[in-house]
Amino acid sequence: MIRNYCVRTDLALEEKERFESDAVEISGVVLEEEYDEEREIRTTRVVIETENGAAAMGKPVGTYLTLEAPDLAAPDEDSQMEIAAELCRRIRELIQKKRKEEKDLSVLVVGLGNRDITPDALGPYVVDHLNVTRHIVKEYGKYAMGMDRADLVSAVVPGVMGQTGMETAEIVRGIVRETCPDLVIAVDALAARNSRRLNRTVQIADTGIHPGSGVGNHRHGMTEDSLGVPVIGIGVPTVVDAATIVNDTMENFIRALESSAALKGVGEVLRSYSPGEKYQFVKELIAPHLNGMFVTPKDVDEMIHHISHTISEALNMLFSENQGS
């Protein structure tokens, strides 16, 4: 039953939850959870340790950190700075695992997505707010700038295949070959299974990123194997597919049936279906017209604006930590 249905999601946490809802335990996959009650930030760590676990989850072996923050897209500068500081700490944690030695780090930040489509413009917007330093350090040197250490930060927005006619991974591979960074950080918009995670969740993974996979538009992945350097993927779910919205509505409908004396039996019958059976039922009901539709909040433009600032601030914090006199 588990593989008889496919829920569009890029989040490792949601893949793990799917197995738990079917009461299936996956060997080689570890889940740990922390909750900061004061800042209302929930951090979930999914570690895929074995190839068997990777095959079951449909994701590479590695560490996936998920931060859920209700105020991620809120127009509150204090909240954004708190979330940015936590993101900075978590990104640093994954970078330290990949760092081979203590030295100035050369980092290429890749803003994935289509700037002309707001739910897909997160990556380009993050790059817009990033403090790039590679050209300055190359030109004047870190000591001339009064720094003992200075990370070299470069950034690129490669666009999408429909705009360039090239795979994004091909473009980035050429830049990596030419500029030789120690690390690539790829920022992209993701798809989620659960609508309550839209624009309030950030996933950070040390396994790279696969552009378009959550919406069924599979492109070549950007990973350490394909680029030759470690790749950290940062993503925020900005869309869900139509079947997910209907499925969430169906859950509310079932609860309403169960609270009705006359229709309680119908609700109990529907409740007996597994999550996979209910999702497949919903997909058949809405087929074929809505199967390829993805949904995003109406105020997504404002949300992406705030979220991109938060992520870029986290990266700016991270790269400025090593720069001191």
Side-chain angles (χ1 to χ4, degrees):
M1 175 57 63
I2 291 174
R3 284 298 177 191
N4 287 343
Y5 70 104
C6 178
V7 184
R8 295 277 171 78
T9 180
D10 289 304
L11 300 178
L13 172 60
E14 291 189 334
E15 288 288 352
K16 186 70 168 64
E17 288 175 343
R18 181 162 64 88
F19 284 95
E20 290 174 350
S21 66
D22 285 331
V24 175
E25 184 66 30
I26 317 173
S27 62
V29 179
V30 178
L31 186 146
E32 301 171 353
E33 190 174 281
E34 302 174 28
Y35 182 61
D36 185 331
E37 191 170 347
E38 182 180 349
R39 294 185 294 177
E40 297 184 272
I41 299 176
R42 185 180 303 278
T43 304
T44 308
R45 181 194 309 273
V46 176
V47 183
I48 303 177
E49 299 177 328
T50 66
E51 292 298 335
N52 287 339
M57 292 279 287
K59 294 187 178 297
V61 171
T63 301
Y64 302 80
L65 299 176
T66 305
L67 276 70
E68 297 177 80
D71 294 331
L72 179 61
D76 183 324
E77 187 173 343
D78 290 338
S79 295
Q80 288 185 359
M81 291 303 293
E82 288 182 351
I83 297 169
E86 182 64 17
L87 280 172
C88 174
R89 186 168 75 89
R90 298 298 180 175
I91 297 168
R92 185 195 316 115
E93 178 184 325
L94 291 188
I95 289 178
Q96 292 301 333
K97 289 175 58 180
K98 297 288 186 180
R99 202 164 190 162
K100 296 179 181 178
E101 57 184 280
E102 286 297 325
K103 66 181 185 70
D104 297 338
L105 198 64
S106 176
V107 182
L108 171 64
V109 180
V110 181
L112 298 170
N114 188 339
R115 189 186 293 275
D116 297 327
I117 301 176
T118 305
D120 196 34
L122 177 67
Y125 284 9
V126 167
V127 167
D128 287 347
H129 308 310
L130 203 62
N131 294 332
V132 293
T133 59
R134 182 178 182 270
H135 60 305
I136 299 175
V137 176
K138 287 279 189 182
E139 181 71 21
Y140 301 107
K142 57 188 177 183
Y143 299 110
M145 298 172 63
M147 298 177 181
D148 292 329
R149 299 187 59 184
D151 289 338
L152 281 69
V153 181
S154 55
V156 64
V157 177
V160 294
M161 194 174 187
Q163 297 169 323
T164 65
M166 295 177 283
E167 286 277 0
T168 303
E170 293 175 335
I171 297 173
V172 176
R173 193 180 303 120
I175 296 172
V176 168
R177 189 183 306 120
E178 188 68 26
T179 62
C180 302
D182 302 310
L183 174 74
V184 170
I185 296 179
V187 184
D188 198 10
L190 307 179
R193 182 187 70 181
N194 194 320
S195 56
R196 69 181 173 83
R197 288 199 169 100
L198 285 184
N199 299 308
R200 56 188 296 169
T201 304
V202 183
Q203 177 176 271
I204 310 165
D206 63 3
T207 59
I209 205 159
H210 294 265
S213 60
V215 296
N217 184 23
H218 297 282
R219 303 261 65 90
H220 292 171
M222 283 183 284
T223 65
E224 185 169 359
D225 288 340
S226 65
L227 297 183
V229 296
V231 182
I232 303 291
I234 302 174
V236 175
T238 61
V239 297
V240 293
D241 69 348
T244 294
I245 298 292
V246 178
N247 193 51
D248 289 347
T249 305
M250 185 177 179
E251 286 295 321
N252 295 332
F253 179 58
I254 291 172
R255 281 194 289 270
L257 290 176
E258 290 175 331
S259 64
S260 168
L263 299 173
K264 186 175 182 180
V266 178
E268 289 175 348
V269 170
L270 291 174
R271 180 66 70 191
S272 67
Y273 292 172
S274 72
E277 290 170 328
K278 280 186 284 190
Y279 187 84
Q280 191 62 41
F281 176 60
V282 166
K283 289 204 72 172
E284 290 173 3
L285 285 178
I286 68 173
H289 306 295
L290 299 179
N291 272 347
M293 181 175 290
F294 286 82
V295 183
T296 194
K298 65 179 181 180
D299 53 348
V300 67
D301 51 348
E302 183 179 0
M303 289 181 167
I304 293 296
H305 172 76
H306 294 306
I307 295 170
S308 64
H309 270 281
T310 301
I311 294 176
S312 62
E313 186 60 34
L315 293 173
N316 290 335
M317 285 181 187
L318 177 68
F319 300 134
S320 65
E321 285 176 349
N322 290 335
Q323 298 176 7
S325 56

